[in-house]
Amino acid sequence: MTLDDLTVSLRALRLLAADFGHLPAPDVDVSTVFPERLRLSFHDTSCESLAAFEQWRTALGIAPDAVEARTQSEGRTRVLAAETSFAGAVVMLTAYADQSAADRAGGVR
């Protein structure tokens, strides 16, 4: 595999940077295993990562009902995930945030 084989995901990243440079910076992952996939993720112990996810979700036109919400790490971590197509690439958007003790006690998922 060559860098040219990652053209689709790298082009999408370039266009996202040009079109949405004002949005919060995500962790970015491009892989030779899935060359047409671009992963954008947000990790935070507060809920700022969830807010960043929502900004990106809105910018990418992903419907709220297309978002998967779950917890992991025995309910201690809240996860939001969604995907869409952008510039020919599959863009996977994921956010992780600590689930507060109050939310865990109240059953928020």
Side-chain angles (χ1 to χ4, degrees):
M1 178 163 277
T2 66
L3 193 57
D4 280 343
D5 295 321
L6 299 175
T7 299
V8 171
S9 57
L10 293 175
R11 181 184 322 116
L13 179 59
R14 180 176 51 87
L15 291 171
L16 288 172
D19 293 349
F20 304 114
H22 62 285
L23 293 178
D27 290 333
V28 176
D29 180 40
V30 175
S31 170
T32 57
V33 176
F34 300 103
E36 294 184 0
R37 182 184 299 171
L38 176 63
R39 294 186 58 189
L40 307 178
S41 58
F42 303 90
H43 305 263
D44 199 319
T45 56
S46 70
C47 286
E48 289 180 25
S49 62
L50 303 180
F53 175 95
E54 282 300 309
Q55 290 176 51
W56 276 96
R57 182 195 61 74
T58 300
L60 292 171
I62 300 171
D65 62 352
V67 175
E68 176 188 349
R70 65 181 192 281
T71 61
Q72 64 184 35
S73 302
E74 297 178 354
R76 293 186 308 267
T77 303
R78 196 167 175 193
V79 181
L80 297 179
E83 67 179 53
T84 191
S85 180
F86 182 84
V90 174
V91 177
M92 301 178 69
L93 192 60
T94 311
Y96 305 89
D98 285 354
Q99 180 92 315
S100 73
D103 286 345
R104 285 195 305 274
V108 174
R109 297 267 187 253

